[in-house]
Amino acid sequence: QVQLVESGGGLVQAGGSLRLSCAASGRTFSSVVMGWFRQVPGKEREFVAAIGRSGVTTHYADSVKGRFTISRDNAKKMVYLHMNSLKPEDTAVYYCAARWVQVVGPGVYDYWGQGTQVTVSS
């Protein structure tokens, strides 16, 4: 079992930066693939980024590639999403997720956080 709690969302101007954090509980954190997703009201949840167990393998959606960086600290049971050059279209609720299947990318995830709001003003 993995429990996830996101933090770090807020209001930022276009071109600015934010760092989202996801704190995980459970002894199996280092065994799961971690991901970030986002959702705008009325739209489907969208894959943003994922990272493998060791932190070496990452995968990004084309819309954020080169602007966002995912990282993890297994000792602290934390996952981060560093967001740079933010655009108004990045505005969404961002969710942290975890899964047992060792595929670093979009798809079905087993555990989800409650989400944190990111708003980018133009």
Side-chain angles (χ1 to χ4, degrees):
Q1 188 79 6
V2 179
Q3 294 182 323
L4 305 170
V5 178
E6 303 95 335
S7 62
L11 174 65
V12 63
Q13 287 188 333
S17 299
L18 274 178
R19 187 186 78 164
L20 303 184
S21 299
C22 175
S25 64
R27 293 182 291 179
T28 55
F29 177 75
S30 60
S31 300
V32 295
V33 169
M34 297 298 300
W36 285 97
F37 291 74
R38 64 188 182 187
Q39 189 170 24
V40 176
K43 294 188 176 181
E44 290 189 358
R45 194 169 294 184
E46 174 189 24
F47 170 78
V48 175
I51 188 166
R53 293 182 300 177
S54 66
V56 173
T57 303
T58 58
H59 183 87
Y60 296 93
D62 288 343
S63 58
V64 306
K65 202 171 292 183
R67 299 188 299 122
F68 291 11
T69 302
I70 188 171
S71 62
R72 68 190 293 166
D73 185 332
N74 286 342
K76 295 182 179 179
K77 298 182 182 179
M78 296 290 295
V79 178
Y80 306 99
L81 186 67
H82 304 259
M83 305 185 294
N84 296 319
S85 302
L86 282 161
K87 304 175 182 180
E89 50 264 44
D90 294 318
T91 296
V93 176
Y94 283 72
Y95 297 90
C96 175
R99 68 177 178 191
W100 296 108
V101 171
Q102 297 302 307
V103 175
V104 182
V108 177
Y109 279 66
D110 303 302
Y111 306 102
W112 293 86
Q114 83 289 349
T116 185
Q117 176 71 46
V118 172
T119 302
V120 184
S121 64
S122 58

